[in-house]
Amino acid sequence: MADPAESVRITRLLERLIRFGGLSIRTVEARLGLSNGTLRRIFSGRIKLKFDLILDILEILEISPRSFFKVAYEIEDPESLTSEELLNHLRKLGLPEATAPPTFQRSEMESVVLETLERLGLMSGGQKRPKKPKT
């Protein structure tokens, strides 16, 4: 009989890898030919995780089973990892790192917000714009 705690640990790691890979659970379900919610039920423990499904998910994520299980058994509790620790483990799997979101200067952000307010009709072009704070 399979160890339920072990299944939970592996499903949590798979779920984090899916999210880190920039995919949604629904996208993975669609690629696997599963109905909506099937992976959520598996990840919550309501449906038993099968080895073939692990292999299919790893194929979608382009992760070799050997790499996955090597790293998986170095991690005791995937949920307890800090972001940096998870990134280190993911690097071992050969996954690309998530890119940092673009940064904006305050003036650029202010300009975008004001233009959006004007387009929504919440501020007319003739209205006085807020004063810029002194920096």
Side-chain angles (χ1 to χ4, degrees), residues 71-133:
V71 169
Y73 287 99
E74 291 176 4
I75 302 171
E76 287 186 34
D77 180 10
E79 294 297 317
S80 69
L81 295 177
T82 65
S83 295
E84 187 60 35
E85 290 168 333
L86 180 61
L87 282 174
N88 287 333
H89 285 288
L90 295 174
R91 285 183 192 111
K92 291 178 186 177
L93 290 173
L95 292 178
E97 288 189 38
T99 56
T103 57
F104 295 96
Q105 298 295 326
R106 180 181 175 86
S107 60
E108 292 173 306
M109 184 63 75
E110 184 178 294
S111 175
V112 169
V113 169
L114 290 173
E115 287 174 22
T116 303
L117 290 173
E118 288 172 3
R119 274 186 277 161
L120 292 173
L122 300 173
M123 177 181 277
S124 65
Q127 273 185 303
K128 189 175 182 182
R129 293 186 177 211
K131 291 182 180 181
K132 292 184 182 179

XYZ file of all heavy atoms in Angstrom, residues 71-133:
493
model
N 15.730 14.928 -7.388
C 15.505 16.158 -6.632
C 14.365 15.973 -5.626
O 14.448 16.442 -4.502
C 15.220 17.339 -7.590
C 14.734 18.558 -6.830
C 16.478 17.684 -8.377
N 13.321 15.262 -6.013
C 12.167 15.077 -5.131
C 12.563 14.426 -3.815
O 12.022 14.768 -2.766
C 11.101 14.240 -5.825
N 13.504 13.535 -3.868
C 13.886 12.856 -2.643
C 14.978 13.575 -1.875
O 15.374 13.139 -0.814
C 14.197 11.379 -2.915
C 12.895 10.665 -3.161
C 12.473 10.400 -4.449
C 12.056 10.356 -2.103
C 11.242 9.804 -4.673
C 10.831 9.761 -2.321
C 10.427 9.487 -3.611
O 9.196 8.916 -3.833
N 15.404 14.715 -2.391
C 16.266 15.607 -1.611
C 15.409 16.574 -0.808
O 15.879 17.211 0.117
C 17.184 16.419 -2.536
C 18.245 15.605 -3.223
C 19.056 16.432 -4.202
O 18.835 17.660 -4.290
O 19.901 15.860 -4.884
N 14.138 16.706 -1.182
C 13.216 17.656 -0.559
C 12.270 16.893 0.355
O 11.547 16.014 -0.087
C 12.385 18.397 -1.635
C 13.289 19.135 -2.616
C 11.399 19.342 -0.987
C 12.546 19.697 -3.804
N 12.270 17.243 1.636
C 11.365 16.566 2.556
C 9.951 17.128 2.470
O 8.987 16.394 2.430
C 11.883 16.680 3.986
C 13.087 15.801 4.227
C 13.516 15.803 5.671
O 12.645 15.905 6.556
O 14.726 15.710 5.905
N 9.825 18.460 2.458
C 8.510 19.092 2.416
C 8.561 20.263 1.444
O 9.041 21.338 1.798
C 8.110 19.577 3.816
C 6.749 20.243 3.835
O 6.020 20.166 2.826
O 6.417 20.852 4.856
N 8.060 20.092 0.206
C 8.129 21.157 -0.797
C 7.497 22.471 -0.347
O 7.941 23.541 -0.718
C 7.373 20.589 -1.993
C 7.336 19.136 -1.785
C 7.417 18.904 -0.309
N 6.454 22.390 0.485
C 5.771 23.606 0.925
C 6.605 24.421 1.908
O 6.375 25.606 2.086
C 4.423 23.255 1.563
C 3.431 22.664 0.591
C 3.045 23.627 -0.513
O 2.821 24.812 -0.239
O 2.980 23.180 -1.671
N 7.586 23.792 2.549
C 8.381 24.501 3.552
C 9.572 25.239 2.936
O 10.247 25.988 3.630
C 8.894 23.519 4.612
O 9.872 22.663 4.045
N 9.812 25.032 1.654
C 10.965 25.666 1.017
C 10.745 27.150 0.811
O 9.644 27.582 0.463
C 11.231 25.031 -0.351
C 11.643 23.576 -0.376
C 11.795 23.113 -1.818
C 12.927 23.352 0.385
N 11.797 27.915 0.991
C 11.739 29.321 0.611
C 11.821 29.379 -0.906
O 12.190 28.396 -1.567
C 12.924 30.107 1.209
O 14.133 29.606 0.615
C 12.975 29.986 2.722
N 11.517 30.527 -1.466
C 11.596 30.686 -2.919
C 12.999 30.393 -3.425
O 13.172 29.728 -4.447
C 11.193 32.112 -3.320
O 9.849 32.320 -3.015
N 14.004 30.857 -2.706
C 15.390 30.640 -3.133
C 15.749 29.158 -3.092
O 16.397 28.639 -4.007
C 16.354 31.449 -2.260
C 17.793 31.418 -2.751
C 17.968 31.974 -4.155
O 17.277 32.921 -4.537
O 18.822 31.425 -4.884
N 15.311 28.460 -2.051
C 15.590 27.022 -1.969
C 14.902 26.262 -3.102
O 15.491 25.376 -3.714
C 15.120 26.472 -0.615
C 15.966 26.939 0.553
C 15.328 26.625 1.893
O 14.080 26.534 1.979
O 16.087 26.476 2.862
N 13.653 26.652 -3.385
C 12.947 26.007 -4.481
C 13.655 26.281 -5.803
O 13.824 25.383 -6.622
C 11.497 26.478 -4.549
C 10.666 25.859 -5.665
C 10.586 24.341 -5.509
C 9.288 26.468 -5.714
N 14.091 27.521 -6.015
C 14.816 27.842 -7.247
C 16.073 26.998 -7.392
O 16.388 26.526 -8.486
C 15.179 29.333 -7.287
C 14.058 30.279 -7.662
C 14.517 31.726 -7.511
C 13.581 30.023 -9.073
N 16.786 26.780 -6.307
C 17.992 25.954 -6.365
C 17.664 24.527 -6.787
O 18.368 23.940 -7.602
C 18.723 25.961 -5.020
C 19.411 27.278 -4.748
O 19.776 27.999 -5.675
N 19.582 27.606 -3.490
N 16.586 23.981 -6.258
C 16.177 22.632 -6.647
C 15.707 22.611 -8.102
O 15.992 21.663 -8.837
C 15.085 22.099 -5.724
C 15.602 21.682 -4.392
N 16.357 20.562 -4.206
C 15.485 22.248 -3.169
C 16.690 20.442 -2.937
N 16.164 21.458 -2.285
N 14.990 23.645 -8.513
C 14.501 23.690 -9.889
C 15.651 23.828 -10.886
O 15.591 23.272 -11.979
C 13.502 24.837 -10.061
C 12.215 24.689 -9.257
C 11.361 25.937 -9.390
C 11.446 23.458 -9.678
N 16.691 24.528 -10.495
C 17.876 24.630 -11.364
C 18.470 23.249 -11.608
O 18.944 22.953 -12.692
C 18.912 25.551 -10.737
C 18.561 27.008 -10.822
C 19.675 27.895 -10.247
N 19.194 29.234 -10.086
C 18.988 29.824 -8.912
N 19.271 29.207 -7.776
N 18.521 31.047 -8.841
N 18.429 22.400 -10.582
C 18.932 21.036 -10.738
C 18.112 20.266 -11.763
O 18.613 19.366 -12.416
C 18.910 20.298 -9.400
C 19.909 20.813 -8.396
C 19.776 20.044 -7.090
C 20.664 20.626 -6.022
N 20.495 19.925 -4.740
N 16.836 20.607 -11.875
C 15.976 19.953 -12.857
C 16.181 20.521 -14.255
O 15.680 19.985 -15.221
C 14.498 20.129 -12.480
C 14.019 19.375 -11.256
C 12.596 19.779 -10.921
C 14.100 17.888 -11.482
N 16.882 21.646 -14.333
C 17.114 22.259 -15.629
C 15.971 23.138 -16.099
O 15.869 23.450 -17.277
N 15.100 23.544 -15.181
C 14.005 24.430 -15.565
C 14.509 25.855 -15.709
O 15.383 26.291 -14.964
C 12.903 24.425 -14.498
C 12.115 23.143 -14.343
C 11.106 23.297 -13.219
C 11.404 22.796 -15.625
N 13.950 26.581 -16.648
C 14.344 27.989 -16.759
C 13.843 28.763 -15.556
O 12.801 28.437 -14.995
C 13.637 28.459 -18.034
C 12.494 27.513 -18.201
C 12.934 26.203 -17.610
N 14.589 29.759 -15.168
C 14.173 30.584 -14.038
C 13.065 31.536 -14.469
O 13.036 31.995 -15.606
C 15.354 31.398 -13.516
C 16.371 30.561 -12.790
C 17.404 31.402 -12.091
O 17.045 32.459 -11.547
O 18.562 30.995 -12.091
N 12.194 31.799 -13.548
C 11.152 32.780 -13.811
C 11.803 34.149 -13.964
O 12.764 34.469 -13.274
C 10.140 32.795 -12.663
N 11.295 34.928 -14.883
C 11.865 36.248 -15.080
C 11.198 37.234 -14.144
O 10.026 37.091 -13.809
C 11.670 36.722 -16.529
O 10.273 36.683 -16.835
C 12.417 35.817 -17.504
N 11.958 38.221 -13.746
C 11.430 39.257 -12.858
C 10.471 40.150 -13.648
O 10.676 40.388 -14.836
C 12.575 40.094 -12.299
N 9.426 40.623 -12.999
C 8.510 41.513 -13.704
C 9.226 42.805 -14.072
O 10.179 43.210 -13.403
C 7.393 41.770 -12.682
C 7.974 41.406 -11.363
C 9.058 40.414 -11.613
N 8.779 43.454 -15.149
C 9.434 44.695 -15.544
C 9.253 45.759 -14.474
O 8.254 45.775 -13.761
C 8.719 45.096 -16.836
C 7.412 44.379 -16.797
C 7.641 43.140 -15.993
N 10.229 46.629 -14.374
C 10.124 47.729 -13.410
C 9.779 49.008 -14.169
O 10.139 49.176 -15.329
C 11.449 47.926 -12.653
O 12.482 48.155 -13.601
C 11.779 46.699 -11.823
N 9.045 49.866 -13.507
C 8.635 51.135 -14.095
C 9.125 52.272 -13.223
O 9.160 52.154 -12.001
C 7.099 51.224 -14.182
C 6.488 50.222 -15.116
C 5.980 49.019 -14.642
C 6.407 50.485 -16.465
C 5.416 48.100 -15.489
C 5.841 49.568 -17.328
C 5.351 48.376 -16.846
N 9.462 53.349 -13.876
C 9.761 54.566 -13.142
C 8.437 55.145 -12.662
O 7.389 54.931 -13.266
C 10.478 55.584 -14.049
C 11.808 55.108 -14.565
C 12.809 54.930 -13.435
O 12.800 55.658 -12.461
N 13.661 53.920 -13.573
N 8.490 55.900 -11.599
C 7.272 56.485 -11.030
C 6.540 57.323 -12.066
O 5.324 57.237 -12.197
C 7.623 57.325 -9.806
C 6.415 57.959 -9.160
C 6.815 58.801 -7.962
N 5.679 59.492 -7.434
C 4.825 58.999 -6.552
N 5.009 57.789 -6.102
N 3.797 59.700 -6.121
N 7.266 58.116 -12.846
C 6.628 58.979 -13.838
C 5.922 58.160 -14.920
O 4.842 58.518 -15.388
C 7.651 59.928 -14.464
O 8.666 59.180 -15.103
N 6.522 57.030 -15.309
C 5.894 56.169 -16.309
C 4.601 55.580 -15.770
O 3.579 55.556 -16.458
C 6.830 55.023 -16.705
C 8.073 55.453 -17.464
C 9.019 54.289 -17.678
O 9.377 53.627 -16.682
O 9.374 54.048 -18.829
N 4.646 55.124 -14.546
C 3.476 54.525 -13.926
C 2.370 55.562 -13.765
O 1.209 55.302 -14.067
C 3.841 53.930 -12.562
C 2.709 53.200 -11.896
S 2.142 51.776 -12.812
C 3.439 50.641 -12.466
N 2.736 56.753 -13.332
C 1.755 57.823 -13.147
C 1.092 58.165 -14.473
O -0.124 58.330 -14.552
C 2.442 59.059 -12.565
C 1.478 60.188 -12.252
C 2.207 61.362 -11.624
O 2.711 61.203 -10.507
O 2.256 62.419 -12.284
N 1.878 58.233 -15.519
C 1.353 58.550 -16.835
C 0.347 57.504 -17.300
O -0.725 57.827 -17.810
C 2.505 58.665 -17.834
O 2.009 58.855 -19.127
N 0.670 56.244 -17.107
C -0.233 55.152 -17.503
C -1.523 55.209 -16.705
O -2.621 55.074 -17.262
C 0.462 53.784 -17.321
C -0.522 52.639 -17.465
C 1.604 53.628 -18.310
N -1.431 55.442 -15.406
C -2.625 55.516 -14.561
C -3.508 56.685 -14.985
O -4.727 56.539 -15.130
C -2.238 55.618 -13.061
C -3.444 55.959 -12.206
C -1.587 54.318 -12.597
N -2.917 57.840 -15.210
C -3.705 59.012 -15.613
C -4.371 58.810 -16.972
O -5.541 59.156 -17.162
C -2.827 60.266 -15.620
C -2.389 60.749 -14.230
C -1.378 61.885 -14.347
C -3.580 61.163 -13.395
N -3.654 58.241 -17.912
C -4.249 57.957 -19.225
C -5.411 56.982 -19.095
O -6.441 57.137 -19.754
C -3.187 57.389 -20.177
C -2.199 58.424 -20.659
C -1.073 57.803 -21.484
O -1.262 56.695 -22.032
O -0.014 58.431 -21.578
N -5.254 55.989 -18.264
C -6.321 55.012 -18.047
C -7.534 55.671 -17.420
O -8.672 55.428 -17.842
C -5.813 53.856 -17.158
O -4.681 53.265 -17.775
C -6.889 52.812 -16.939
N -7.322 56.527 -16.421
C -8.432 57.250 -15.791
C -9.164 58.119 -16.805
O -10.398 58.189 -16.799
C -7.933 58.100 -14.622
C -7.470 57.328 -13.384
C -6.830 58.281 -12.377
C -8.623 56.562 -12.761
N -8.403 58.780 -17.687
C -9.023 59.616 -18.723
C -9.851 58.761 -19.679
O -10.973 59.120 -20.039
C -7.952 60.397 -19.483
C -7.345 61.524 -18.671
C -6.146 62.191 -19.339
O -5.795 61.824 -20.484
O -5.554 63.076 -18.696
N -9.321 57.606 -20.106
C -10.055 56.726 -21.017
C -11.322 56.181 -20.372
O -12.315 55.959 -21.043
C -9.173 55.566 -21.480
C -8.324 55.946 -22.690
C -7.589 54.764 -23.214
N -6.389 54.666 -22.369
C -5.646 53.616 -22.222
N -5.926 52.517 -22.836
N -4.598 53.623 -21.441
N -11.293 55.955 -19.087
C -12.469 55.447 -18.380
C -13.472 56.552 -18.071
O -14.551 56.289 -17.550
C -12.049 54.762 -17.079
C -11.270 53.461 -17.240
C -10.756 52.978 -15.887
C -12.122 52.386 -17.891
N -13.115 57.796 -18.376
C -14.006 58.916 -18.123
C -14.019 59.360 -16.676
O -14.908 60.097 -16.252
N -13.041 58.922 -15.908
C -12.987 59.299 -14.501
C -12.191 60.576 -14.291
O -12.212 61.142 -13.212
C -12.380 58.155 -13.670
C -13.166 56.846 -13.731
C -12.408 55.736 -13.022
C -14.546 57.016 -13.138
N -11.515 61.015 -15.322
C -10.745 62.260 -15.249
C -10.707 62.800 -16.673
O -10.358 62.093 -17.604
C -9.321 61.988 -14.752
C -8.443 63.233 -14.715
S -6.778 62.843 -14.161
C -7.028 62.869 -12.412
N -11.124 64.062 -16.835
C -11.098 64.634 -18.176
C -9.714 65.201 -18.450
O -8.962 65.514 -17.530
C -12.161 65.720 -18.310
O -11.850 66.805 -17.458
N -9.396 65.315 -19.717
C -8.086 65.823 -20.112
C -7.813 67.207 -19.553
O -6.666 67.589 -19.331
N -8.868 67.995 -19.304
C -8.689 69.347 -18.795
C -8.567 69.425 -17.284
O -8.252 70.481 -16.733
N -8.841 68.308 -16.598
C -8.746 68.329 -15.146
C -7.306 68.510 -14.720
O -6.376 68.077 -15.390
C -9.269 67.034 -14.529
C -10.758 67.045 -14.284
C -11.177 65.787 -13.553
O -10.927 64.696 -14.031
N -11.811 65.960 -12.405
N -7.188 69.133 -13.582
C -5.856 69.366 -13.037
C -5.267 68.040 -12.558
O -5.912 67.290 -11.838
C -5.962 70.351 -11.869
C -4.647 70.827 -11.353
C -4.869 71.882 -10.286
C -3.554 72.397 -9.786
N -3.725 73.369 -8.723
N -4.076 67.757 -13.029
C -3.395 66.529 -12.619
C -2.774 66.741 -11.246
O -2.369 67.843 -10.899
C -2.312 66.160 -13.621
C -2.928 65.761 -14.952
C -1.882 65.261 -15.889
N -2.527 64.823 -17.116
C -2.092 63.867 -17.881
N -0.992 63.237 -17.580
N -2.740 63.530 -18.962
N -2.693 65.687 -10.472
C -2.087 65.828 -9.139
C -0.642 66.282 -9.247
O 0.056 65.963 -10.209
C -2.165 64.418 -8.555
C -2.845 63.558 -9.550
C -3.094 64.343 -10.774
N -0.232 67.039 -8.245
C 1.163 67.511 -8.221
C 2.080 66.341 -7.953
O 1.745 65.420 -7.209
C 1.353 68.562 -7.126
C 0.652 69.856 -7.418
C 0.954 70.836 -6.302
C 0.250 72.152 -6.579
N 0.521 73.126 -5.547
N 3.253 66.386 -8.570
C 4.243 65.358 -8.337
C 4.893 65.606 -6.995
O 5.225 66.746 -6.664
C 5.301 65.378 -9.443
C 4.773 64.944 -10.785
C 5.882 64.894 -11.792
C 5.311 64.513 -13.139
N 6.327 64.471 -14.180
N 5.083 64.551 -6.223
C 5.758 64.734 -4.936
C 7.223 65.080 -5.146
O 7.836 64.672 -6.121
C 5.599 63.377 -4.251
C 5.329 62.398 -5.346
C 4.707 63.181 -6.467
